[in-house]
Each structure stands twice: as structure tokens, then as C-alpha cells.
Amino acid sequence: MNLFEHIQTVLTKNEKYSKDGKLFKNIIVEAALKLDSELLTLLIKDKTAKKHFFTAVNKILVFDKMKFQRFIANKQFLPDSYTAFKNKIGLTANSKYLTESKEVVLSWAYKDCVLEGGQTKEAQKLKEVFWNKTLAPEQIDRLLEPKVLTNWKRYDKSGVQPVKNISINDNFIIKGNNLLALHSLKKVYKGKIKLIYIDPPYNTGGDGFNYNDSFNHSAWLTFMKNRLDVAKELLNNDGIIYISCDDRENAYLKVLCDEVFGRDNFITNLIWRKKAGGGNDSQDIAVEHEYILAYRKQNNGIYKMPLDEKTLQSYKLKDAKEKTHGKFKTKDLNDPSLSDSSGLHYDVTCPDKVILKGNAHQWKCNEATFNKRLADDRIVFKKIKNKWRVHYKIYVNEEKGELRYDDNGKVVQRGKNLTSILYNTALNKDGSNDIKHIFDGEKPFSYPKPVKLLETLILSATKENDIILDFFAGSGTTAEAVISINANTKSHRKFILVEQMDYIETVTAKRAQIALKNHKLSDGFNFCSLMNFNETIIQEILKVSTKKELIHIYNQLQSNQHIDYSIESFPKEEKLKALEITAIKKVLVAILDKNNLYVSLHEMEDADYKIDTESKLMTRKFYSL
Ligand SMILES: C[S@@+](CC[C@H](N)C(=O)[O-])C[C@H]1O[C@@H](n2cnc3c(N)ncnc32)[C@H](O)[C@@H]1O
């Protein structure tokens, strides 16, 4: 008996893994990957299996699940057993499908790490830590725990006020690192977001990603992967994610997204034309476009595009169907095209029995469809210049995609599909004009996306009450687009924006507030920040006035077990004492700037953090939404 036969005999002992002598290969592999105790017991009890698939480390037996999986996936093993891959064509190595063995994936340095990517000030370049999941599991758990939310405000057309009550139907603008914000949002919004749009830094070297150059690319991929993994959890089953990207990282991002969202969930890579002409200063080819990668979570959540105002106005006529179908327009049924199709020639009898002969006319539909339309009062006979013309009705609601019946009377959607090349959607310069329009000619943000581009994307993937998330909010174009759509369509889409830079208040929130006012919406949004321990302490440092108090704070900081400074060593107490008060304050603030400690929800009652009652109350309200 060879090893394959032997293992087969061992596995048939458990009904879970076999029936009528046939093994369930997929179930076995799944059990192995999950380290299922039943399977492990079965294998460990067998001397041969134990020898082949277990290794002793310090007297502890460790199961080599990868080796076992490879063994089970081997063609020699159970050649006749059921496997989903039976008829698959694909690349193989050592007789295994590469995709099956998961040996072909996009790999890069630090892939399995967590990169906080925490920059809050424009001039600040943090030395980022790649948290390694195996070496620092507790730190990572802590990093990703939901955070305390502070600095609550309610913005609406009448200004900024304290927040009293919040609801899941509110808009939110949240200040803080988006990785931690997403993990916090997960507690409330898991599976509830219909659309995520993101416009991350493109890794061009000058946009906040000035890490050590050789790690630049890999840092960016790690940064993106960490965020996309959690973004996926936030989407609902019809959820869509659109990711803006230029061609520097696009190919890598596509492969990364295939891995995160699944290759089958790739929709397309939209091309957005961002500028027209003026590229002659480029060294070689003037690049006028960038990309928007589109993935679905699971179901097809892309909708037909609504008709524009001009098209809508071309529907002027009414009949008895107006209530359900809306107004209609008519189109000539005569097909002037040269392509001759035999099924499209038939006689049509007009009201005064005049017959339009089939051999002289080609119609746009076949006779059966014509008769159906006639019976359904969709055919209109018009006498133009004393000659009969045959027209058919097109109702606006059908064109909008709201109603349409197939041949079996089933409603199917109709309307215009979004096309993959966004050629005339709006250019970068329109984005600049949009923001200038908000800020009276000033442009407080470079390269905001055009509102029209965002409107197009949002309309293609959301309906009237859906939630839209943008966790690289920048100047808040996404919020303005949601507001504009809500105003134009009387809908109640909601936005959640995350941005970590300080301009979130002066640009992002301000812009959303002005947009609400410009569109005369009575709606508002809640603003809050992930609570950063530093901010509280810095306030305290600035307040105190004696060296004694400062040294006390300094000692407290050093003994705070949670603090993880990225500085090599703390200055000696005596050295600090010798400095002027303002100089000591500067040192302490500088130390704190290196530390990016956000306060976790479970630490909310910890007196060390001196959390105010309002923040506690609102944090509780938020997490119980
Ligand atoms: C390219 S801009 C987005 C512009 C935006 N689409 C607009 O139209 O204004 C990217 C934004 O992501 C923010 N960002 C980058 N890394 C972040 C992080 N880790 N957490 C939160 N925001 C981050 C940057 O501060 C920047 O404002």
C-alpha cells in the first residue's frame, strides 16, 4: 500500500470525510486548514500519518497543514474523487494548480504587517512602524480596537452646535487615522455601506508617502491592504467599491484587490479623462487619464444611470398610463437603415385601412412585437404630409430604468449603463473650480476630484437611502456630491467621511456645511474625532505653569504602560529640570508628537486618560447605534 492509499484508508474511517468509499477532498482540506480537532486526532493516531504530517518542536507535535493540503491536492491522491477543479485549465507546478495551492499571489515585503500610516500635520513625516502580526499581536489588537470618540459637534445650516442625539441615518465626518476609524466604524456599520469611494495618496513620492525609498512601494501596498481588508467588511452584499488610482500603482492595486475582493468580483477599471491638452511639457507621453477600479462585494450593485434633465424634458406626451409609466415620446417605427432583415418586413394596416406594404417598409421590430405593442396601445399612427407614419411610444419611467417588461411580462431594468471611459465627465480643473465656488475663489486644497465625477459614481451605485463612505476624504468632494444628489433628486443618501489632517475642520467640514447651505438642505452632519491621548496631555502641558507640575507629567508619561514612543531614549529628568519652563514644554510636546496613541473604548473609564463626560456619553451612544 503506498502512502496515498494508506492515508485514504485512514480518512475513510470518519463519515464526515467520506461516503461509499469516496473521499470529500474539499471538506478534508478545509478541515486541515481550520486545524479541525477531529481530523488531527484521526491523523495523529495513525503512525504513518503522524510521521509525515507532524513535526516535533520542543516535544510538542506541530501539524504541517500546508504539506497535508498539498498532499491531498495532489493528482495521484483520489484521482476519481469529486473536486471542483476537475475540468479546470490553469497553470500548474509539480502537478498542482498554482491558484489552488495559493502559491501565486502578489507578495511584497511587510505584506503581513499593519501599517498605521498616521500623519496629522502637513509637514510631519512620521517614522512608520510596520507592526508584525506574529511578533506584536497584542499591540495590533490594541491598535485596531474601537476608539473613544471626542470633540463632538453638529454642523447644519444655522452653524455649529453641540450634538445631543445621533442616529444611524446621520451623516458623519470623522477626524483620525482611517485604519483605526474603519475598525471603529466596523462595530456599527459592518455590512451596512452601499458604496465606498476612495482616492488614496497615489504614491508619487510627494504626497505624504516619503518613506525610505526602497520600501516606498511596499509600504503603500501594505497601507492599502490593511484598509481594503476592513473596507470589505463594511460593505453590504450589494456593496461597491471604487478606488481612484493613477497608472503608477494601478496594476499592483488590481492584483491586490483581486486578492482582497476576489477576482470574480472585479467589475472594471474605469478610465477617467482628467485633463485635456496642455501636456506638452511632459517628457514623453502626456498622460491625460487615471483609473477608477471597481469591485463588488458579492451581488451586482451597479445601477442604470438616471436620465439628464434635457432628455427628461423630451418626454412631453401623456396617456392613460401616465400614473405608472410617466409621460412618453414617440419614435418612428420605420427603420431607415440599409441592413435588410427578412423578419422586419410585414404589412401594417393604418386607421383608414390603408396598408403600408411590407416589401416597401422595414420596421424596427418583428411582427409579433408589433402586435403586442398595438394591443398595448403603444403604436401611434400619424398622418404627416398626407402620408401615414407609424410611431411607437417610449415612456419615461421605462427609460429611467424604473419599469420595463420582457416578453414574459417580467419587469426588467432599462436605462443607460455607465460606460467605462469617463471621457466628458469633468476634468481636474472642474474640481478646482468646484472648490473655489465654495470658498469664494480660494483654493484651500490641491487636486480635489470634480463633484460631477463623484456624482456619476455615486448615482451608478446607490439608491435613495444608501450610505456612502469615503475614508480618504481630502477636501470632502464626496460629501458635496452626496449633498448635491440629495438636493436634485430629493433623496436621503448619507455620507461618512474620514480624514486625519487638521484641515478636516477648515476645509472638509466647512465645505460640506457650505454645500448644504447652497443647496438649501435642512440636513446636517455630526463631526467627531478619534480620541488622541496626546491632545489631552498637550492641553494639560500648555496649561500648567510650574516646573514641578511639568516634571510630574513627564514621569507620569514614562510610567504609562500604553505609551509606545518611537524615540530612542527619554531625556534625563535632571536635564529637563535645568531648562526654562517653555523649553520643557517644547520637549514634552515634541515627545508626544512622536507618539500616536488613540484611546480604546475599553479604556474609557481609565482615569489616566481624563476623558470628559460628554465624550464618554457620545461614544457610548455611537457604539450602540
Ligand atoms: C488624494 S487626497 C483625497 C482627495 C479627495 N478625493 C478630494 O476630492 O478632495 C487623499 C487624502 O487622504 C488623506 N489620508 C492619507 N492617509 C490617511 C490616513 N491614514 N488616514 C486618514 N486620512 C488619510 C490625506 O490626508 C488626503 O487628504
Side-chain angles (χ1 to χ4, degrees):
M1 199 186 274
N2 67 23
L3 184 60
F4 289 107
E5 288 160 350
H6 179 83
I7 297 298
Q8 187 164 7
T9 325
V10 173
L11 291 168
T12 28
K13 285 183 193 151
N14 188 325
E15 282 181 7
K16 235 164 85 179
Y17 307 130
S18 71
K19 196 170 178 221
D20 305 330
K22 270 198 175 176
L23 290 189
F24 307 137
K25 204 160 159 174
N26 295 342
I27 294 178
I28 297 166
V29 170
E30 214 173 282
L33 293 178
K34 280 201 302 216
L35 300 176
D36 179 272
S37 64
E38 238 175 294
L39 177 73
L40 295 197
T41 317
L42 198 66
L43 293 173
I44 218 160
K45 273 200 204 145
D46 179 79
K47 243 167 75 187
T48 318
K50 183 170 157 188
K51 186 173 136 222
H52 279 92
F53 302 112
F54 292 80
T55 321
V57 182
N58 275 346
K59 294 192 190 143
I60 296 170
L61 282 185
V62 179
F63 177 52
D64 190 346
K65 63 178 180 186
M66 293 321 288
K67 185 174 175 191
F68 183 75
Q69 186 208 4
R70 277 200 297 271
F71 181 84
I72 296 285
N74 194 300
K75 212 164 71 182
Q76 284 184 53
F77 188 67
L78 321 169
D80 62 349
S81 83
Y82 169 74
T83 138
F85 310 116
K86 212 166 161 183
N87 299 318
K88 201 169 123 174
I89 297 173
L91 297 176
T92 60
N94 303 327
S95 313
K96 296 172 303 200
Y97 286 109
L98 293 181
T99 47
E100 192 180 335
S101 69
K102 301 253 185 285
E103 277 168 10
V104 181
V105 289
L106 182 66
S107 233
W108 66 86
Y110 300 109
K111 181 175 180 181
D112 291 322
C113 294
V114 174
L115 185 63
E116 192 176 336
Q119 181 190 7
T120 53
K121 297 182 178 55
E122 274 161 279
Q124 185 187 41
K125 296 268 178 287
L126 279 184
K127 204 164 164 236
E128 288 291 348
V129 181
F130 288 89
W131 293 106
N132 183 306
K133 282 179 190 160
T134 340
L135 302 179
E138 287 93 19
Q139 280 95 326
I140 292 179
D141 284 351
R142 192 181 174 285
L143 188 72
L144 305 183
E145 274 167 7
K147 300 291 178 255
V148 173
L149 299 164
T150 185
N151 190 18
W152 284 86
K153 295 172 205 171
R154 172 88 192 161
Y155 284 71
D156 59 26
K157 64 173 190 298
S158 53
V160 186
Q161 21 255 335
V163 189
K164 288 190 198 86
N165 282 313
I166 50 172
S167 131
I168 193 97
N169 293 323
D170 282 348
N171 299 309
F172 284 91
I173 297 190
I174 303 171
K175 177 168 194 250
N177 180 300
N178 55 9
L179 180 71
L180 318 191
L182 287 168
H183 280 275
S184 298
L185 283 168
K186 195 170 84 177
K187 209 167 151 54
V188 180
Y189 286 95
K190 189 173 176 178
K192 294 205 169 93
I193 305 288
K194 177 62 181 65
L195 171 67
I196 296 178
Y197 168 76
I198 48 167
D199 177 17
Y202 290 176
N203 202 16
T204 54
D207 55 6
F209 267 89
N210 286 357
Y211 302 100
N212 178 343
D213 242 6
S214 55
F215 294 138
N216 194 310
H217 178 47
S218 109
W220 189 83
L221 284 167
T222 304
F223 174 83
M224 290 307 293
K225 181 175 189 299
N226 295 158
R227 281 145 185 88
L228 293 175
D229 279 337
V230 43
K232 182 182 173 191
E233 291 190 67
L234 288 166
L235 287 175
N236 64 27
N237 287 344
D238 300 330
I240 299 291
I241 182 165
Y242 284 131
I243 312 171
S244 276
C245 187
D246 69 0
D247 46 15
R248 190 179 307 240
E249 291 291 0
N250 181 64
Y252 293 92
L253 185 63
K254 162 75 169 65
V255 180
L256 172 62
C257 287
D258 278 349
E259 191 176 313
V260 174
F261 297 102
R263 224 174 124 78
D264 291 346
N265 293 321
F266 168 64
I267 301 171
T268 193
N269 199 5
L270 293 151
I271 293 170
W272 170 53
R273 184 193 188 213
K274 63 174 179 180
K275 62 179 181 191
N280 273 344
D281 48 354
S282 312
Q283 260 184 356
D284 32 51
I285 292 175
V287 178
E288 290 192 339
H289 70 283
E290 49 186 67
Y291 299 100
I292 300 161
L293 268 173
Y295 279 79
R296 65 177 83 82
K297 165 85 170 272
Q298 183 183 310
N299 306 331
N300 181 19
I302 298 282
Y303 308 126
K304 306 281 172 175
M305 297 303 285
L307 303 183
D308 59 49
E309 215 33 54
K310 202 170 135 218
T311 317
L312 279 176
Q313 278 173 9
S314 64
Y315 295 82
K316 293 195 172 79
L317 307 165
K318 297 181 202 178
D319 66 8
K321 289 201 188 74
E322 193 196 351
K323 242 190 167 155
T324 49
H325 291 56
K327 292 183 180 163
F328 70 88
K329 65 180 177 190
T330 65
K331 267 198 172 163
D332 203 329
L333 194 71
N334 197 51
D335 183 359
S337 75
L338 294 174
S339 68
D340 207 29
S341 168
S342 60
L344 300 176
H345 295 272
Y346 44 89
D347 294 354
V348 169
T349 312
C350 299
D352 52 7
K353 303 260 161 38
V354 171
I355 295 177
L356 299 177
K357 285 302 212 183
N359 54 14
H361 290 90
Q362 173 163 290
W363 308 109
K364 283 181 186 158
C365 62
N366 64 26
E367 194 166 9
T369 309
F370 176 83
N371 287 333
K372 249 189 220 151
R373 287 182 176 174
L374 195 64
D376 198 24
D377 188 27
R378 284 169 178 258
I379 298 291
V380 183
F381 293 95
K382 295 187 177 182
K383 215 165 200 177
I384 299 170
K385 291 192 183 152
N386 238 358
K387 277 197 178 142
W388 281 110
R389 310 287 301 184
V390 188
H391 282 219
Y392 63 103
K393 297 179 183 177
I394 303 171
Y395 293 92
V396 68
N397 288 353
E398 292 180 329
E399 201 69 305
K400 277 201 287 189
E402 288 174 15
L403 287 175
R404 195 197 169 206
Y405 309 92
D406 66 10
D407 288 346
N408 302 316
K410 223 179 116 214
V411 176
V412 290
Q413 214 191 14
R414 186 165 158 193
K416 297 249 179 305
N417 274 348
L418 181 63
T419 48
S420 64
I421 302 184
L422 305 172
Y423 193 74
N424 277 327
T425 306
L427 307 171
N428 253 336
K429 67 173 181 349
D430 298 302
S432 300
N433 289 334
D434 292 337
I435 200 164
K436 282 187 192 160
H437 179 71
I438 294 277
F439 291 106
D440 293 331
E442 297 287 313
K443 195 182 158 213
F445 192 89
S446 308
Y447 301 113
K449 289 283 181 284
V451 176
K452 181 89 186 302
L453 173 68
L454 263 297
E455 283 181 6
T456 307
L457 298 175
I458 292 169
L459 286 170
S460 73
T462 61
K463 295 239 151 127
E464 60 180 354
N465 291 313
D466 288 334
I467 310 177
I468 295 123
L469 167 68
D470 179 347
F471 54 88
F472 285 99
S475 68
T477 310
T478 301
E480 188 178 341
V482 170
I483 290 165
S484 152
I485 293 175
N486 281 349
N488 293 335
T489 65
K490 296 196 175 53
S491 62
H492 300 280
R493 289 169 172 83
K494 279 140 311 230
F495 60 81
I496 302 175
L497 263 47
V498 180
E499 171 59 55
Q500 67 179 2
M501 295 301 225
D502 290 339
Y503 53 66
I504 187 170
E505 295 204 48
T506 51
V507 180
T508 325
K510 189 99 199 124
R511 179 180 190 180
Q513 189 187 24
I514 297 173
L516 282 167
K517 205 164 131 199
N518 289 353
H519 285 284
K520 300 191 175 55
L521 289 188
S522 56
D523 209 4
F525 59 90
N526 302 320
F527 180 95
C528 64
S529 315
L530 298 195
M531 187 175 176
N532 195 315
F533 179 52
N534 298 346
E535 282 167 23
T536 343
I537 306 281
I538 289 173
Q539 290 310 321
E540 206 185 331
I541 292 171
L542 298 179
K543 250 194 277 164
V544 299
S545 52
T546 66
K547 277 193 187 183
K548 203 175 150 206
E549 286 167 302
L550 284 172
I551 299 299
H552 178 69
I553 295 178
Y554 181 60
N555 287 331
Q556 263 189 341
L557 282 183
Q558 289 185 78
S559 61
N560 188 312
Q561 50 166 335
H562 304 308
I563 287 187
D564 192 331
Y565 294 105
S566 323
I567 55 168
E568 267 75 64
S569 63
F570 282 93
K572 290 244 164 12
E573 195 181 308
E574 296 74 54
K575 275 201 167 172
L576 269 190
K577 273 186 187 156
L579 300 173
E580 290 292 313
I581 286 196
T582 37
I584 303 178
K585 288 188 175 183
K586 267 194 188 150
V587 173
L588 293 195
V589 171
I591 290 175
L592 279 162
D593 261 351
K594 300 243 164 42
N595 172 62
N596 215 7
L597 182 80
Y598 285 95
V599 184
S600 291
L601 180 59
H602 85 261
E603 298 161 331
M604 195 156 75
E605 300 307 329
D606 187 333
D608 270 1
Y609 294 114
K610 303 187 173 71
I611 303 173
D612 59 293
T613 351
E614 202 224 347
S615 300
K616 285 188 192 172
L617 179 76
M618 290 310 299
T619 301
R620 272 190 220 106
K621 281 192 179 173
F622 180 81
Y623 288 111
S624 54
L625 277 183

Coordinates of all heavy atoms in Angstrom, one line a residue, residues 1 3 62 90 127 166 193 213 249 284 289 307 375 465 488 520 522 542 550 561-562 568 601 613:
M1 N 0.8 -1.2 0.0 CA 0.0 0.0 0.0 C 0.9 1.3 0.0 O 1.8 1.4 0.9 CB -0.9 0.0 1.3 CG -2.1 0.9 1.2 SD -3.0 0.9 2.8 CE -4.1 -0.5 2.7
L3 N 1.6 5.5 0.2 CA 1.2 6.4 1.2 C -0.2 7.0 0.8 O -1.0 7.2 1.7 CB 2.2 7.6 1.2 CG 2.0 8.6 2.3 CD1 1.9 8.0 3.7 CD2 3.0 9.8 2.3
V62 N 3.6 19.5 16.0 CA 3.0 20.6 15.2 C 2.6 20.0 13.8 O 3.3 19.3 13.2 CB 4.1 21.7 14.9 CG1 3.5 22.8 14.1 CG2 4.6 22.3 16.3
G90 N -5.4 25.6 -16.0 CA -4.7 26.6 -15.3 C -3.2 26.3 -15.3 O -2.8 25.2 -15.7
K127 N 8.1 58.3 11.4 CA 8.8 57.1 11.1 C 7.8 56.0 11.3 O 7.5 55.7 12.5 CB 10.0 57.0 12.0 CG 11.1 56.1 11.5 CD 12.4 56.4 12.2 CE 13.3 55.2 11.9 NZ 13.8 54.5 13.0
I166 N -27.7 61.2 18.2 CA -27.2 60.8 16.9 C -28.0 59.6 16.4 O -28.6 58.9 17.2 CB -25.7 60.5 16.9 CG1 -25.4 59.5 18.0 CG2 -24.9 61.7 17.0 CD1 -24.0 59.0 18.0
I193 N -22.7 49.5 4.4 CA -22.3 50.5 3.5 C -22.6 50.0 2.1 O -22.2 49.0 1.7 CB -20.8 50.8 3.7 CG1 -20.5 51.2 5.1 CG2 -20.4 51.9 2.7 CD1 -20.9 52.5 5.6
D213 N 13.0 55.1 0.5 CA 12.6 54.9 -0.9 C 12.4 53.4 -1.3 O 11.5 53.1 -2.0 CB 13.6 55.6 -1.8 CG 12.9 56.6 -2.6 OD1 11.7 56.8 -2.3 OD2 13.5 57.2 -3.5
E249 N 0.6 52.8 -9.7 CA 0.3 51.6 -8.8 C -0.9 50.8 -9.3 O -1.3 49.8 -8.7 CB -0.1 52.1 -7.4 CG 1.1 52.7 -6.6 CD 2.1 51.7 -6.2 OE1 2.0 50.5 -6.6 OE2 3.1 52.1 -5.6
D284 N 7.6 62.6 -22.2 CA 7.4 61.7 -23.3 C 5.9 61.7 -23.7 O 5.5 62.5 -24.5 CB 7.8 60.3 -22.9 CG 7.7 60.0 -21.5 OD1 6.6 60.2 -20.9 OD2 8.7 59.5 -20.9
H289 N -5.2 60.7 -18.3 CA -6.2 59.9 -17.6 C -5.7 59.3 -16.3 O -4.5 59.2 -16.1 CB -6.7 58.8 -18.5 CG -5.7 57.7 -18.7 ND1 -4.6 57.8 -19.5 CD2 -5.6 56.5 -18.1 CE1 -3.8 56.7 -19.4 NE2 -4.4 55.9 -18.6
L307 N -31.6 59.6 -16.3 CA -31.5 60.5 -17.5 C -31.2 61.9 -17.1 O -31.6 62.4 -16.0 CB -32.9 60.4 -18.2 CG -33.3 59.0 -18.6 CD1 -34.6 59.1 -19.4 CD2 -32.3 58.3 -19.4
A375 N -51.6 46.0 -29.3 CA -52.6 45.6 -28.3 C -52.4 46.4 -27.0 O -53.4 46.7 -26.3 CB -52.5 44.1 -28.0
N465 N -31.6 55.8 -0.2 CA -31.3 55.9 1.3 C -29.9 55.3 1.6 O -29.6 55.1 2.8 CB -32.4 55.2 2.1 CG -33.6 56.0 2.0 OD1 -33.6 57.2 2.2 ND2 -34.7 55.3 1.7
N488 N -30.9 67.4 -5.7 CA -31.5 67.3 -7.0 C -32.5 66.2 -7.2 O -33.4 66.3 -8.1 CB -30.4 67.1 -8.1 CG -29.5 68.3 -8.2 OD1 -29.9 69.4 -7.8 ND2 -28.3 68.1 -8.6
K520 N -29.7 74.5 0.0 CA -30.9 74.8 0.8 C -31.4 73.5 1.5 O -32.6 73.3 1.5 CB -32.0 75.5 0.0 CG -31.5 76.8 -0.6 CD -32.7 77.6 -1.2 CE -32.3 78.9 -1.7 NZ -31.2 79.0 -2.7
S522 N -32.0 71.2 4.8 CA -32.0 71.4 6.2 C -31.2 70.4 7.0 O -31.1 70.5 8.2 CB -33.5 71.4 6.7 OG -34.0 70.2 6.3
L542 N 0.3 72.6 28.3 CA 0.2 74.0 27.9 C -0.4 74.8 29.1 O 0.0 76.0 29.3 CB -0.6 74.3 26.6 CG 0.1 73.6 25.4 CD1 -0.7 73.9 24.2 CD2 1.5 74.1 25.2
L550 N 5.3 70.1 35.5 CA 5.7 69.5 34.2 C 6.5 68.2 34.4 O 6.3 67.2 33.7 CB 6.6 70.5 33.5 CG 5.8 71.7 32.8 CD1 6.8 72.7 32.2 CD2 5.0 71.2 31.7
Q561 N 1.8 52.6 30.8 CA 2.2 51.3 30.1 C 1.8 51.3 28.7 O 2.4 50.6 27.9 CB 1.6 50.2 30.9 CG 0.1 50.4 31.1 CD -0.6 49.2 31.5 OE1 -0.2 48.1 31.2 NE2 -1.8 49.3 32.1
H562 N 0.8 52.1 28.3 CA 0.4 52.0 26.9 C 1.2 52.8 25.9 O 1.1 52.6 24.7 CB -1.1 52.6 26.8 CG -2.0 51.9 27.7 ND1 -2.1 50.5 27.7 CD2 -2.9 52.4 28.6 CE1 -3.0 50.2 28.6 NE2 -3.5 51.3 29.2
E568 N 14.3 57.0 20.6 CA 15.2 56.1 21.1 C 15.3 56.1 22.7 O 15.2 55.1 23.3 CB 16.6 56.4 20.6 CG 16.9 55.5 19.3 CD 16.2 56.1 18.1 OE1 16.5 57.2 17.7 OE2 15.3 55.4 17.5
L601 N -11.9 52.1 23.3 CA -13.2 52.1 24.0 C -13.1 51.5 25.4 O -13.6 52.0 26.4 CB -14.2 51.4 23.1 CG -15.6 51.3 23.6 CD1 -16.2 52.6 23.8 CD2 -16.4 50.5 22.5
T613 N -17.0 63.9 30.3 CA -18.3 63.2 30.4 C -19.0 63.2 29.0 O -19.6 62.2 28.7 CB -19.2 63.8 31.4 OG1 -18.5 64.8 32.2 CG2 -19.8 62.8 32.3

